Amino acid sequence: MHRRKFLLTAPLALAACGAPRVWAPDEFVAAKAYAHPGPKALTLYTMRNTGSDNGAHTGMLINASQRVLWDPAGTFGHDSIPERNDVHYGITPRIAQFYISYHSRITYYTQIQYVEVPPETAELALRLVQENGPTPKSLCTVHTSRMLAQLPGFEFIRTTLFPDNLADQFARVPGVQTSEYRETDSDDKSVAAAQIDTAIRADP
């Protein structure tokens, strides 16, 4: 799948990582809510440098009573996707792929770690990220590791600043399935963002 087929408005894609407070209206969130079929699950995304393999960013897909994407201190976003303080709602398979592809380029690839969890664990994860508030710059992995450590079966996870370290810890959870997604397009996010935005508006 070629990233140039989707997402992001350029202003959001170019925004620096930080902790702005974003709060989509209730009716927008309700209208876009998406319940994904299949098992309840957590998917940890780790964006890794293709040269050094060092982690650069952490995000998480939570499939609970509804499926949301948590992108703490991230730049992902679009005006058709409701967001509340780093939690993005209405995460259909298409939107989830947009997120992965947005972060995958010549200089970075996305490591994907998927694990099924009991419904109550998924619901707790959903509640915790909703209550987390906006994540300050550079603390995406700190907040994600702290959240995970509060979940049954994940208590062994230690708070860490480093995405690759969290990925290594997450790999110890029984049943984790790991894959990678790579693209070779430009590292210029502003170009990708503009083209993706055009595509989403053409095919909402």
Side-chain angles (χ1 to χ4, degrees):
M1 190 175 201
H2 198 276
R3 173 158 55 112
R4 296 306 187 245
K5 292 181 180 177
F6 9 83
L7 180 62
L8 286 274
T9 55
L12 285 176
L14 291 171
C17 290
R21 294 194 173 273
V22 179
W23 197 259
D26 290 348
E27 56 273 18
F28 187 24
V29 173
K32 291 287 188 175
Y34 171 70
H36 188 67
K40 305 309 179 188
L42 305 178
T43 305
L44 181 68
Y45 297 122
T46 305
M47 293 65 184
R48 291 179 176 265
N49 186 285
T50 55
S52 66
D53 214 40
N54 289 336
H57 184 58
T58 297
M60 175 161 286
L61 186 70
I62 300 170
N63 187 35
S65 53
Q66 62 174 308
R67 191 160 76 165
V68 304
L69 172 68
W70 192 33
D71 189 40
T75 58
F76 180 85
H78 191 269
D79 58 14
S80 67
I81 305 170
E83 177 192 350
R84 287 183 168 178
N85 293 335
D86 299 329
V87 180
H88 302 263
Y89 294 83
I91 308 303
T92 64
R94 180 174 182 244
I95 300 299
Q97 180 58 42
F98 289 170
Y99 179 77
I100 296 168
S101 189
Y102 170 66
H103 288 93
S104 305
R105 51 198 187 275
I106 190 68
T107 49
Y108 292 93
Y109 71 94
T110 302
Q111 181 182 29
I112 304 164
Q113 293 171 287
Y114 168 92
V115 65
E116 295 178 10
V117 296
E120 56 271 21
T121 300
E123 287 303 315
L124 177 56
L126 174 60
R127 179 171 62 81
L128 289 172
V129 300
Q130 289 173 324
E131 295 174 352
N132 187 77
T135 300
K137 181 179 179 180
S138 301
L139 295 184
C140 56
T141 310
V142 170
H143 282 215
T144 304
S145 54
R146 285 178 180 170
M147 185 280 289
L148 285 168
Q150 298 177 65
L151 303 179
F154 295 81
E155 297 93 342
F156 68 88
I157 289 182
R158 297 191 176 189
T159 300
T160 179
L161 183 65
F162 305 105
D164 41 340
N165 179 270
L166 178 57
D168 291 344
Q169 295 187 68
F170 196 85
R172 294 166 49 197
V173 178
V176 170
Q177 302 173 36
T178 302
S179 60
E180 296 177 0
Y181 182 86
R182 296 176 184 262
E183 291 186 2
T184 57
D185 47 355
S186 171
D187 192 42
D188 187 344
K189 279 190 175 182
S190 66
V191 175
Q195 293 175 334
I196 285 168
D197 176 58
T198 299
I200 268 200
R201 295 184 187 282
D203 182 21

